[in-house]
């Protein structure tokens, strides 16, 4: 009945809750899959790599092993795909990672790739590629290949046992190809087989029945002691049960409530107490700089740049939670911006470099999360997220697809964001992917970064995906004006946590406010200073709000917007690809915006190498603000 529920998308389907026809999810060892897609393979390799690591780090606390009895084998990751999917970059990346990890890094990676071969990739014939491909792997690729007759259930069983035993024995990848499989009924409901198959081929495929050959094998094998009539009766009984199950499932309710689909996009948010007002409100530019650093004596910490605080809070997190692992590219030597400097010395088995392939980096993070770890994933430059985009979206959709049973809790650190001259568009990206189910934050200073990171860890360990967007220009920033060292901040006390609904205010009492985030906050404060120096009009005074949470309108922002007659949203992302556009729409729909408001953003183009021409600048904010206050 449960299987029938999946096919008819009943809301009572225990796997997806009625959103898709999927398999799996019966236990923590059974992962949700939608088809024989290659995108399943990077997470499968991640699970294979994560098994032994999780067991080492978590020991007796590892839930996976607590579920196993003494007769269970060491865990193995088994993933299936079709013969057409061997062309897909996801599979090729996953296969490459498994071989690289086991044979060149000596990491345990017990994974079996099961390839179903019906010689048809929808309409495209195989042309012998799969056999040639696995032959090359077997002869010189360092991976054993097993071949089973897909129409012989005994051969399928025997070869699968051999492949899994070999993978477990060597803690290494193996391949099994299920050959001669016949696709009886076309690829999908919309598949027009007659466009590429003859009627004779279609009829021959439809007559082929692997179940019939399995029945013959069973009857002819005397050790089973089952007669043809007994099997025939069982076959009829199962058929009747299937018909009844589908009839019952088809009458069950479907999803009818939009809110249910909204609620399932991510795990429930861990509630964090709001910070007291005196921690997040300043009294003007210079006054706020002093207020922002007021806790230096109270907390016993020294002021420092954002990057140093980032390193410290990551170490603090890894010290507190043994399930946290840090993965990325070049992270063991400190990363491109030294954020992970010396961390590998403190946590040698938990800070790990991956080859430069964001598909397998993010795919492995999914696998790590699925076996009980909480990965922090460093993407070297924001533009590089495009290279692993599909795994990024797959990680996010799992919670929705599994009705909350299979979340992929993790933290993603997206570097190389915001204004900068290095690398042009490919290293100073300023547009964001914001699908439902992810929390995105962008902090402007090290003090709030630490507080926000502590919140992110709580959320990720509860199954949510949190992405930090780190502005390059802020990492080592010390000064706001001249050499005032106003942007150095103290390290917050361990009990200080900044939730998603907290904002920071620079100034209180003006009739106008500019809202920004990340390095836009610094740009706004400098624009404020420039206006005060060039204009004598009282109208040019404004407060600045730092709004680091970008997915929704934080409560903190809604609570204070009513204090202002004018509001300018200054978004550091490109026009048309920015978070504030959606935020403004929500506020307008809720009648929460003042009558007079304006929007400024970076230019809708790409960033050239060596200059800051396209980024949001002080002049943009000053011009937009002057235009705003002219609305009387």
């Amino acid at each position: 009945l449960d299987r029938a529920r999946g096919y008819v998308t009943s809301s009572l389907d225990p796997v997806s809750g009625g959103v898709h026809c999927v398999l799996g999810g019966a236990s923590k060892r059974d992962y949700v899959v939608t088809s024989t897609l290659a995108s399943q393979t990077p997470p499968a390799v991640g699970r294979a790599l994560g098994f032994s690591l999780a067991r080492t780090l978590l020991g007796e606390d590892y839930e996976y092993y607590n579920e196993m009895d003494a007769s269970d084998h060491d865990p193995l990751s088994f993933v299936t795909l079709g013969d057409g999917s061997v062309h897909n970059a996801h599979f090729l990346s996953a296969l490459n990672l498994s071989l690289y990890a086991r044979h060149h890094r000596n990491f345990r990676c017990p994974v079996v790739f099961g390839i179903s071969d019906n010689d048809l990739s929808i309409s495209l014939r195989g042309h012998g590629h799969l056999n040639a491909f696995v032959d090359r792997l077997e002869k010189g690729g360092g991976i054993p290949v097993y071949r089973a007759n897909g129409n012989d259930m005994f051969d399928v069983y025997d070869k699968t046992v051999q492949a899994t035993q070999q993978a477990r024995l060597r803690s290494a990848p193996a391949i099994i190809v299920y050959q001669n499989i016949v696709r009886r009924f076309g690829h999908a409901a919309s598949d027009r087989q007659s466009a590429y198959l003859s009627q004779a081929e279609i009829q021959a495929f439809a007559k082929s029945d692997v179940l019939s050959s399995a029945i013959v094998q069973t009857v002819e094998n005397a050790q089973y002691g089952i007669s043809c009539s007994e099997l025939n009766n069982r076959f009829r009984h199962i058929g009747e049960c299937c018909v009844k199950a589908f009839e019952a499932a088809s009458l069950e309710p479907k999803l009818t409530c939009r809110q249910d689909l909204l609620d399932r996009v991510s795990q429930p948010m861990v509630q964090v107490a709001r910070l007291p007002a005196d921690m997040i409100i300043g009294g003007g530019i210079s006054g706020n700089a002093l207020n922002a650093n007021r806790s230096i004596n109270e907390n016993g910490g020294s002021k420092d740049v954002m990057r140093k605080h980032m390193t410290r809070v990551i170490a603090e997190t890894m010290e507190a939670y043994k399930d946290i692992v840090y993965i990325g590219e070049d992270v063991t030597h400190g990363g491109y911006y030294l954020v992970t400097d010396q961390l590998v010395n403190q946590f040698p088995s938990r800070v790990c470099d991956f080859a430069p392939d964001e598909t397998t980096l993010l795919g492995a993070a999914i696998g790590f999360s699925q076996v009980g770890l909480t990965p922090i994933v460093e993407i070297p430059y924001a533009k590089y997220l495009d290279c692993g985009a599909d795994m990024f979206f797959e990680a996010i959709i799992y919670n929705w697809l599994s009705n909350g049973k299979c979340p992929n809790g993790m933290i993603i650190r997206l570097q190389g964001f915001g204004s900068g001259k290095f690398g042009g568009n490919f290293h100073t990206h300023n547009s964001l992917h914001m699908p439902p189910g992810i929390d995105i934050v962008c902090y402007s200073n090290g003090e709030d970064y630490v507080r926000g990171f502590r919140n992110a860890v709580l959320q990720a360990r509860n199954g949510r995906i949190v992405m930090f967007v780190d502005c390059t220009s802020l990492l080592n920033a010390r000064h706001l004006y001249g050499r005032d060292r106003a942007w150095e901040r103290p390290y917050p006390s361990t009990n200080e946590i900044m939730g998603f609904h907290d904002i920071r205010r620079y100034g209180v009492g003006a009739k106008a406010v500019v809202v920004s985030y990340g390095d836009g906050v610094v740009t706004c404060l400098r624009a404020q200073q420039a206006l005060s120096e060039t204009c004598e009009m009282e109208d040019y005074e404004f407060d600045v709000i730092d709004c680091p949470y970008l997915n929704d309108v934080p409560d903190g922002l809604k609570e204070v917007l009513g204090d202002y007659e004018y509001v300018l949203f200054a978004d550091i992302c490109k026009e048309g690809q920015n978070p504030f556009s959606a935020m403004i729409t929500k506020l307008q729909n809720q009648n929460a915006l003042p009558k007079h408001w304006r929007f400024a953003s970076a230019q809708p183009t790409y960033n050239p190498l060596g200059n800051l021409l396209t980024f949001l600048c002080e002049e943009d904010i000053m011009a937009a603000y002057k235009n705003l206050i002219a609305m009387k």
Side-chain angles (χ1 to χ4, degrees), residues 95 99 103 111-113 134 137-147 162-168 170 172-177:
L95 178 64
L99 295 171
H103 299 311
V111 59
V112 174
F113 300 98
V134 296
L137 288 173
E138 186 175 29
K139 292 174 182 177
I143 185 169
V145 177
Y146 299 84
R147 296 169 177 81
Q162 292 175 31
T164 55
Q165 286 179 339
Q166 178 73 355
R168 280 196 172 102
R170 299 172 60 241
I175 290 175
I176 179 168
V177 181

Side-chain angles (χ1 to χ4, degrees), residues 215 219 224-237:
I215 290 173
V219 172
Y224 293 107
I226 301 177
S227 67
C228 186
S229 60
E230 288 176 305
L231 282 175
N232 186 53
N233 290 336
R234 186 177 298 180
F235 176 79
R236 292 180 181 278
H237 172 70

Side-chain angles (χ1 to χ4, degrees), residues 39 85 98 101 200 312 389-391 399 403 426 467 482 512 532 544 553 614:
S39 59
S85 292
S98 69
R312 183 172 171 182
D390 191 63
M391 285 292 98
N399 197 83
N403 200 15
F426 303 101
M467 183 165 75
S532 69
V544 174
V553 183
T614 60

Side-chain angles (χ1 to χ4, degrees), residues 15-247:
V15 184
S16 78
V19 299
H20 201 74
C21 181
V22 298
L23 299 171
S27 72
K28 291 185 178 179
R29 308 184 214 173
D30 187 17
Y31 304 97
V32 173
V33 296
T34 59
S35 184
T36 54
L37 299 176
S39 59
Q40 297 167 186
T41 56
V45 175
R47 293 192 293 269
L49 291 169
F51 285 136
S52 61
L53 179 59
R55 187 175 192 177
T56 300
L57 296 179
L58 303 181
E60 295 180 356
D61 296 331
Y62 189 23
E63 293 182 11
Y64 185 97
Y65 284 94
N66 291 337
E67 291 181 349
M68 301 172 70
D69 58 45
S71 63
D72 280 329
H73 298 286
D74 285 336
L76 169 84
S77 184
F78 188 96
V79 60
T80 61
L81 62 151
D83 53 312
S85 292
V86 300
H87 299 274
N88 193 285
H90 291 90
F91 168 67
L92 297 174
S93 290
L95 178 64
N96 181 70
L97 174 62
S98 69
L99 295 171
Y100 166 78
R102 186 62 186 128
H103 299 311
H104 301 283
R105 298 289 296 279
N106 201 32
F107 296 151
R108 294 169 61 88
C109 189
V111 59
V112 174
F113 300 98
I115 304 173
S116 302
D117 182 14
N118 63 15
D119 199 42
L120 278 173
S121 178
I122 306 182
S123 64
L124 180 66
R125 299 283 186 172
H127 298 287
H129 171 75
L130 177 60
N131 286 331
F133 176 74
V134 296
D135 282 347
R136 290 194 298 272
L137 288 173
E138 186 175 29
K139 292 174 182 177
I143 185 169
V145 177
Y146 299 84
R147 296 169 177 81
N149 181 354
N151 296 303
D152 183 337
M153 69 173 185
F154 293 109
D155 194 40
V156 167
Y157 179 83
D158 290 341
K159 296 297 172 50
T160 303
V161 168
Q162 292 175 31
T164 55
Q165 286 179 339
Q166 178 73 355
R168 280 196 172 102
L169 179 66
R170 299 172 60 241
S171 291
I175 290 175
I176 179 168
V177 181
Y178 301 105
Q179 299 176 319
N180 306 318
I181 293 176
V182 175
R183 191 186 73 188
R184 296 185 69 195
F185 302 118
H187 176 74
S190 59
D191 182 19
R192 297 180 300 107
Q193 290 194 98
S194 59
Y196 56 88
L197 294 175
S198 68
Q199 284 300 312
E201 287 175 313
I202 294 173
Q203 292 174 5
F205 288 170
K207 289 179 180 178
S208 175
D209 186 355
V210 66
L211 184 59
S212 296
S213 62
I215 290 173
V216 171
Q217 286 181 292
T218 303
V219 172
E220 291 178 347
N221 196 319
Q223 66 174 315
Y224 293 107
I226 301 177
S227 67
C228 186
S229 60
E230 288 176 305
L231 282 175
N232 186 53
N233 290 336
R234 186 177 298 180
F235 176 79
R236 292 180 181 278
H237 172 70
I238 293 173
E240 292 170 358
C241 290
C242 287
V243 171
K244 291 179 180 178
F246 272 86
E247 289 176 344

Side-chain angles (χ1 to χ4, degrees), residues 434 517 550 569 571 573-588 597 599-601:
M434 303 186 69
Y517 60 91
L550 304 180
F569 292 89
D571 200 313
C573 282
K574 304 176 194 293
E575 178 183 327
Q577 300 181 54
N578 57 75
F580 276 177
S581 293
M583 202 176 292
I584 291 168
T585 302
K586 289 182 180 180
L587 288 166
Q588 184 75 1
W597 64 269
F599 172 76
S601 69

Side-chain angles (χ1 to χ4, degrees), residues 326-387:
Y326 196 102
I327 61 176
E329 301 165 15
D330 304 289
V331 297
T332 57
H333 81 279
Y336 295 172
Y337 297 104
L338 284 180
V339 173
T340 55
D341 190 29
Q342 303 299 316
L343 283 180
V344 72
N345 297 331
Q346 295 177 256
F347 311 100
S349 62
R350 297 164 62 189
V351 178
C352 182
D353 278 332
F354 275 64
D357 172 26
E358 287 71 31
T359 291
T360 49
L361 177 59
L362 287 164
I366 295 173
F368 279 11
S369 179
Q370 290 173 344
V371 300
L373 299 169
T374 305
I376 302 172
V377 191
E378 179 182 301
I379 305 297
Y381 297 106
K383 186 68 173 69
Y384 290 13
L385 183 61
D386 295 358
C387 303

Side-chain angles (χ1 to χ4, degrees), residues 564-627:
Y564 298 98
E565 297 179 34
Y566 302 89
V567 58
L568 170 64
F569 292 89
D571 200 313
I572 61 176
C573 282
K574 304 176 194 293
E575 178 183 327
Q577 300 181 54
N578 57 75
F580 276 177
S581 293
M583 202 176 292
I584 291 168
T585 302
K586 289 182 180 180
L587 288 166
Q588 184 75 1
N589 288 338
Q590 297 168 7
N591 294 317
L593 281 179
K595 180 180 179 181
H596 305 301
W597 64 269
R598 281 289 186 267
F599 172 76
S601 69
Q603 298 301 303
T605 183
Y606 303 99
N607 307 318
L609 178 66
N611 73 57
L612 305 176
L613 186 63
T614 60
F615 297 104
L616 183 72
C617 63
E618 296 169 37
E619 290 75 16
D620 293 328
I621 293 169
M622 293 165 65
Y625 183 70
K626 289 178 180 179
N627 180 269

